[in-house]
Amino acid sequence: PTMDNPHLRPIETKGLSRKVDEEEKVNIPESSMAGFSFRKLWAFTGPGFLMSIAYLDPGNIESDLQSGTTARYKLLWVLMSATILGLVMQRLSARLGVVTGLHLADMCYHQYRKAPRLFVWLMMEVAIIGSDMQEVIGTSIAIYLLSNKMIPLWIGVLITVIDTLSFLMLDKYGLRKLELVFGLFIFIMVLSFGYEFAIVQPDIKDMVKGLVTPWCSNCQESALLQAVGIIGAIIMPHNLYLHSGLVKSRKVDRTKKHKLQEANYYFFIESTIALFVSFVINVCIVSIFAHGLYDKTNSDVLEICTKNNNTYSDIFTNDTALIEVDIYKGGVFLGCQFGIGAMYIWAIGILAAGQSSTMTGCYAGQFVMEGFLNLQWSRWKRVGFTRLVAIAPTFYVAFFSNINDLTGMNDLLNAVMSLQLPFATLPVIAFTSNPRIMGEFTNGFMLDDGSMLRRNPFVIRFIGPQIENTFFKHQQTNSSQPRYYIFNL
């Protein structure tokens, strides 16, 4: 549909939709018994865990350890609140994909005029490339630690290109096997960071207090900045586009209301479980460094490393300034305090986080580019494009500077993620609040013809015209047509 000719047209006329229809989809088993079914939950399990990878990328991990070092356990409530808010937004994103059969970028293509659509697309590309840079940084640092400094950082940056393309080859073995690989990555992170939590043994009572006390008493200004960084690191803007596309991998009969309700129900349960797992991992990382590095100076950590004859101790200066930690220094500290094995296990967890989030970023990039531009690229071309753009500045810093400058880029990139967040949250809220798009599944905030926002001249001119009264309701379309039709705003 176009703005000039806003008539009902099947979404299957769009090239991208034909491609999606031809892809492998998971069958949902029928159940003769009413109520909850573990078989159905298993069939719907997958998209939520792929989505949750973005809550465990190297940028999140660095934000976690800096939070613990800066404010101890006092910002855990911010982490929990951000995760709950993320779950709400992921719920809306998944519901949009289930009910309409279109992912978020595809919906923007149908609903927005060219200028705002291209602008939002550019903002999402910036977010994806920024996230990709964080994953390159995390993976290269993990390789540097695991190789005992034998593989320089700049070579590790180049390795990330090859290994990502090799992992994408797994896609040809089937969707469920690919989802199993992502599950394996999450399991590795659980073992890695769970081991670190067990040997550090943080104070459980203080952890619980930090989770339930929505305040940061006696905190410095840096704690406030860190709290803002947590929100930007947790809620990744392109992840909303990813989740709305991933849910289309299940065969759901959208002509039947109860099937849509069932899909939304099980996807929400799966997303809740997945984000709970990611939340526990993030809490473990915060607590590890809250217990080990809070209020410690560079000389304190240097003394620990020197006492244990750690070869990485030269990265810490001998002064009384409070330590500024990152994923590299955090791993070295664990090796100094608890043995070299703790450092290697930490690096394995970082490597799993970097590799898995790189792959999900690739899928998000594909949905974004194909949806906004109606452009179909093969995955290897899409990966090559984003990875080359991400590698250029990262390689420059890795080759011509030191590791501290490389890890410091993560803080800047987390700020970039925060700035891009409205370009994902506002569209998904607007679309899922529109009864002409969602029908009975709309949110409470209705963007109908009578709302002030829909009558705003700026919105009408630059975003789209008002909804005409000649359109059928969504549920009427579902009951009278074999396919779902999308409406133009």
Side-chain angles (χ1 to χ4, degrees):
T2 63
M3 291 294 177
D4 299 326
N5 185 24
H7 296 294
L8 290 174
R9 291 180 58 192
I11 64 169
E12 284 76 13
T13 59
K14 193 166 181 279
L16 175 59
S17 298
R18 289 198 300 270
K19 179 179 178 182
V20 170
D21 288 342
E22 296 172 358
E23 291 181 351
E24 174 191 0
K25 291 193 175 184
V26 177
N27 291 312
I28 307 301
E30 294 293 338
S31 176
S32 57
M33 299 178 60
F36 182 81
S37 170
F38 281 103
R39 287 184 63 222
K40 287 187 177 182
L41 178 60
W42 176 249
F44 281 105
T45 297
F49 281 91
L50 267 68
M51 167 272 297
S52 70
I53 293 291
Y55 290 72
L56 296 168
D57 72 342
N60 272 297
I61 294 174
E62 179 153 316
S63 175
D64 289 339
L65 59 89
Q66 289 176 345
S67 169
T69 305
T70 302
R72 209 171 182 220
Y73 306 101
K74 296 177 182 179
L75 293 180
L76 283 178
W77 67 274
V78 178
L79 175 62
M80 182 173 67
S81 301
T83 304
I84 293 174
L85 179 59
L87 175 61
V88 172
M89 297 309 303
Q90 299 296 163
R91 160 101 163 140
L92 296 181
S93 174
R95 186 193 294 178
L96 178 69
V98 169
V99 174
T100 67
L102 296 173
H103 55 73
L104 182 55
D106 214 354
M107 185 66 71
C108 290
Y109 177 86
H110 283 280
Q111 302 294 339
Y112 289 161
R113 295 185 187 275
K114 185 175 182 179
R117 172 166 54 88
L118 293 180
F119 179 74
V120 175
W121 167 67
L122 289 174
M123 294 299 99
M124 284 305 99
E125 290 294 346
V126 169
I128 291 169
I129 292 171
S131 176
D132 212 36
M133 289 177 64
Q134 290 182 313
E135 290 140 16
V136 170
I137 292 170
T139 303
S140 59
I141 289 175
I143 294 173
Y144 183 71
L145 288 172
L146 289 171
S147 66
N148 199 24
K149 301 182 182 180
M150 293 181 62
I151 300 179
L153 285 173
W154 64 272
I155 294 181
V157 170
L158 297 178
I159 290 175
T160 60
V161 180
I162 301 172
D163 61 12
T164 302
L165 290 173
S166 63
F167 273 118
L168 288 176
M169 294 172 57
L170 296 171
D171 194 28
K172 67 180 182 179
Y173 293 106
L175 178 64
R176 295 297 272 176
K177 291 183 176 63
L178 185 64
E179 290 174 348
L180 184 62
V181 171
F182 281 99
L184 178 61
F185 278 125
I186 295 176
F187 183 68
I188 291 173
M189 284 186 271
V190 169
L191 291 180
S192 174
F193 301 129
Y195 169 82
E196 305 289 0
F197 182 85
I199 62 173
V200 173
Q201 296 182 345
D203 192 322
I204 302 297
K205 186 180 295 185
D206 287 344
M207 288 174 57
V208 174
K209 183 179 178 181
L211 286 169
V212 300
T213 306
W215 191 250
C216 188
S217 59
N218 301 320
C219 288
Q220 299 179 356
E221 182 181 350
S222 58
L224 175 61
L225 298 175
Q226 193 59 49
V228 176
I230 289 174
I231 298 174
I234 287 290
I235 308 175
M236 306 292 278
H238 60 279
N239 210 33
L240 299 179
Y241 291 85
L242 172 68
H243 199 195
S244 63
L246 291 174
V247 296
K248 294 170 61 180
S249 61
R250 269 53 181 178
K251 283 188 177 180
V252 178
D253 187 355
R254 290 182 288 108
T255 64
K256 298 178 180 178
K257 177 182 175 181
H258 72 277
K259 291 294 184 181
L260 293 174
Q261 291 174 329
E262 178 185 79
N264 287 328
Y265 172 70
Y266 283 106
F267 276 132
F268 178 66
I269 293 176
E270 186 235 2
S271 298
T272 303
I273 296 172
L275 289 188
F276 177 76
V277 172
S278 70
F279 172 68
V280 170
I281 294 174
N282 282 319
V283 168
C284 286
I285 296 171
V286 172
S287 303
I288 288 168
F289 292 93
H291 182 82
L293 283 179
Y294 176 71
D295 209 27
K296 280 192 169 56
T297 64
N298 289 314
S299 58
D300 293 334
V301 181
L302 178 62
E303 182 180 353
I304 295 172
C305 292
T306 305
K307 181 179 178 181
N308 292 282
N309 298 318
N310 191 287
T311 58
Y312 294 84
S313 60
D314 57 338
I315 67 170
F316 301 107
T317 57
N318 190 14
D319 56 51
T320 57
L322 291 176
I323 187 169
E324 295 182 1
V325 70
D326 48 48
I327 55 178
Y328 175 61
K329 289 182 179 178
V332 172
F333 163 74
L334 291 173
C336 294
Q337 183 77 54
F338 304 103
I340 197 68
M343 184 188 75
Y344 288 136
I345 292 174
W346 168 262
I348 291 172
I350 297 296
L351 183 63
Q355 287 301 301
S356 56
S357 54
T358 293
M359 295 169 67
T360 55
C362 163
Y363 286 105
Q366 186 179 26
F367 287 130
V368 166
M369 179 168 284
E370 291 180 347
F372 277 105
L373 304 181
N374 194 19
L375 176 66
Q376 299 179 30
W377 276 16
S378 60
R379 286 202 174 110
W380 72 268
K381 290 181 180 179
R382 173 65 209 180
V383 173
F385 172 76
T386 55
R387 187 44 58 98
L388 286 176
V389 175
I391 275 182
T394 310
F395 178 83
Y396 178 84
V397 175
F399 190 82
F400 293 102
S401 194
N402 57 50
I403 194 168
N404 292 326
D405 295 328
L406 188 65
T407 55
M409 290 178 66
N410 267 329
D411 298 330
L412 176 62
L413 294 171
N414 279 335
V416 172
M417 295 296 107
S418 300
L419 293 175
Q420 308 308 318
L421 197 54
F423 301 105
T425 55
L426 294 181
V428 76
I429 292 173
F431 295 148
T432 54
S433 299
N434 193 322
R436 304 293 186 176
I437 293 175
M438 300 296 290
E440 295 183 23
F441 297 91
T442 187
N443 299 332
F445 178 60
M446 311 274 286
L447 292 181
D448 56 16
D449 298 339
S451 69
M452 293 182 61
L453 184 60
R454 290 302 306 159
R455 291 184 282 108
N456 186 281
F458 178 85
V459 173
I460 294 174
R461 178 178 180 183
F462 294 103
I463 305 299
Q466 288 182 265
I467 304 171
E468 299 294 338
N469 293 326
T470 56
F471 289 111
F472 297 106
K473 291 184 178 180
H474 164 79
Q475 58 268 33
Q476 292 174 332
T477 303
N478 267 347
S479 61
S480 61
Q481 300 289 343
R483 294 177 183 261
Y484 179 167
Y485 292 80
I486 189 63
F487 308 98
N488 190 60
L489 289 180

